[in-house]
Amino acid sequence: MRARVALEPLAEEPGAEDESGARRRSGLQATLHRWARILSGGAAGDDARPAADLRVLLSVLACPLSPVPILPRLPRHVASSAQYIIEQFRATTGCGKLEGTAKSMYAAGKVRLAMLQEPAGAGGGGGHGNGGAGRCHEGSFVVWQLAPGMWIVEMAVAGHSVAAGSDGRVAWRRTPWLGAHAARGGSRPLRRALQGLDPVMIASIFSTAEHAGEKQVDGEDCFVLRLDVGPSTLSSWSDGTAEVIRHGLTGFFSQRSGLLARLEDSQLTRIQSPGAAAMYWETTIASTMADYRAVDGGVTVAHAGRSTAHLARFGVGVRAARVVTRMEESWTIDDVAFDVPGLGPDAFIPPEEVRRSRFYDAMAAGGK
């Protein structure tokens, strides 16, 4: 949910405020201030709204991170119900064929983004838009990954392009409106790879989760696995005026097929400038995966899906009890390949402006 300093799974740098004004504020504070202006009618006008909306969509949904890092290795025995569920997932997807052998992955696909009207009465008011679905923006993306922690994603939508990557130590992001910047909290996986695209990574991330019961997802009985980010990690994401209070990640695994059917994450952030009242922002993203197909010798990956994100603002001074913005992404995967010939670490070097930043050396050394 932060701008220049973060690459979180949530809203990072939405808005249409001038860039110089945004840069004078601290990262997360600048992000939320600019988006608050749009929600309260402070944008440049109706003509500027589509461009501002697209920036928000790309900031929230284009290339967010998972809140938890990849484990160096998977548990070698089933010691809990959660690990039993993951063993089912591994057997169904055939990802064991890739563990220890596949060193890289490539995927390319198409994406469609839209800002949506929050249904009347939902969340206490303040939905964004003029009713129904907003304007749809179409584009494409490509993901390159070198196991386990190096990756890069590029997305181009309606004339705007964004990119993000990780060199295994530090994650970074580049947008036309804020340039390139390193992320707080060190390197973490790309959330897009968790959306059914990389079964090895999914198994690694959820191997330490807690079994949180059962729930139906689109008529499918699912096991629920839950991960909550610890206080020390949350602290590494925060800055002087922005405190990340909580972040959780939940996976819903089909009891029938063993596949990941739904992925949810939610983050709550408290913003308080000196002398001002506290403001709270909550962002949730829920993704459903579909069209699982076997590729590269029988490894099963999802080839389609849909994400819905809600960005909520509440606190003293907000005109409505809870201002909610809803946005949606749908995607299809056109091509997936593992063990890409010639792909090496040199392809994942961060942009020069990231390497020259005062944060880079500290984060590369300590992961913070």
Side-chain angles (χ1 to χ4, degrees):
M1 214 153 73
R2 291 192 291 282
R4 291 155 37 210
V5 297
L7 239 176
E8 297 308 323
L10 308 175
E12 297 154 51
E13 51 201 52
E17 185 182 6
D18 63 281
E19 296 176 16
S20 60
R23 290 180 186 276
R24 286 194 294 269
R25 295 182 175 86
S26 64
L28 182 50
Q29 182 187 18
T31 293
L32 301 182
H33 175 83
R34 294 163 67 204
W35 184 225
R37 290 181 68 243
I38 293 180
L39 289 176
S40 60
D46 290 341
D47 291 342
R49 178 75 69 171
D53 283 353
L54 181 55
R55 286 188 180 188
V56 175
L57 288 163
L58 290 172
S59 295
V60 175
L61 292 170
C63 40
L65 295 182
S66 160
V68 290
I70 304 172
L71 291 177
R73 64 184 62 184
L74 293 174
R76 294 189 177 277
H77 61 281
V78 176
S80 68
S81 56
Q83 290 182 17
Y84 174 77
I85 294 166
I86 292 303
E87 287 300 315
Q88 282 189 305
F89 172 79
R90 293 177 69 250
T92 301
T93 59
C95 69
K97 303 170 186 176
L98 300 177
E99 292 168 3
T101 58
K103 303 300 183 184
S104 60
M105 183 194 75
Y106 158 83
K110 297 182 177 66
V111 66
R112 187 175 208 179
L113 304 171
M115 196 75 73
L116 304 177
Q117 169 88 23
E118 184 66 17
H128 179 72
N130 299 317
R135 179 180 176 183
C136 289
H137 307 276
E138 298 185 350
S140 60
F141 64 91
V142 60
V143 179
W144 302 88
Q145 182 174 292
L146 190 64
M150 298 183 184
W151 53 265
I152 189 167
V153 57
E154 297 178 348
M155 179 178 288
V157 178
H160 288 260
S161 62
V162 296
S166 169
D167 63 358
R169 300 178 302 168
V170 174
W172 56 270
R173 179 178 187 160
R174 183 176 62 223
T175 67
W177 47 94
L178 283 178
H181 50 275
R184 287 182 181 265
S187 177
R188 281 167 283 146
L190 182 66
R191 188 186 190 277
R192 191 167 297 279
L194 298 182
Q195 295 170 173
L197 192 57
D198 186 344
V200 175
M201 185 179 294
I202 294 167
S204 175
I205 289 293
F206 283 100
S207 62
T208 58
E210 293 185 1
H211 183 206
E214 301 176 8
K215 185 177 180 179
Q216 276 204 345
V217 174
D218 297 329
E220 187 89 7
D221 292 328
C222 293
F223 296 114
V224 182
L225 297 186
R226 173 76 180 179
L227 286 163
D228 287 303
V229 179
S232 61
T233 301
L234 295 178
S235 177
S236 73
W237 295 354
S238 303
D239 61 26
T241 59
E243 176 191 4
V244 182
I245 297 174
R246 61 169 169 78
H247 196 120
L249 182 68
T250 306
F252 300 82
F253 293 81
S254 169
Q255 297 181 19
R256 177 183 57 83
S257 68
L259 298 171
L260 179 64
R262 184 179 177 91
L263 182 71
E264 295 180 355
D265 59 72
S266 176
Q267 178 172 297
L268 178 65
T269 304
R270 180 179 184 269
I271 304 291
Q272 187 167 22
S273 301
M279 187 69 63
Y280 293 86
W281 291 77
E282 183 175 35
T283 311
T284 59
I285 303 177
S287 302
T288 55
M289 279 64 74
D291 193 17
Y292 275 93
R293 289 186 245 158
V295 299
D296 274 12
V299 179
T300 301
V301 301
H303 281 68
R306 183 180 299 271
S307 291
T308 300
H310 291 80
L311 177 60
R313 177 173 62 109
F314 50 96
V316 177
V318 180
R319 288 182 297 183
R322 186 179 177 90
V323 178
V324 178
T325 298
R326 191 162 62 106
M327 55 201 81
E328 187 173 271
E329 172 196 59
S330 60
W331 72 89
T332 56
I333 301 298
D334 299 323
D335 191 22
V336 181
F338 296 94
D339 278 331
V340 182
L343 188 63
D346 288 349
F348 303 92
I349 297 174
E352 182 180 357
E353 55 266 51
V354 172
R355 300 196 307 274
R356 287 191 286 104
S357 72
R358 61 190 179 91
F359 299 108
Y360 181 75
D361 290 339
M363 286 187 291
K368 295 184 179 180

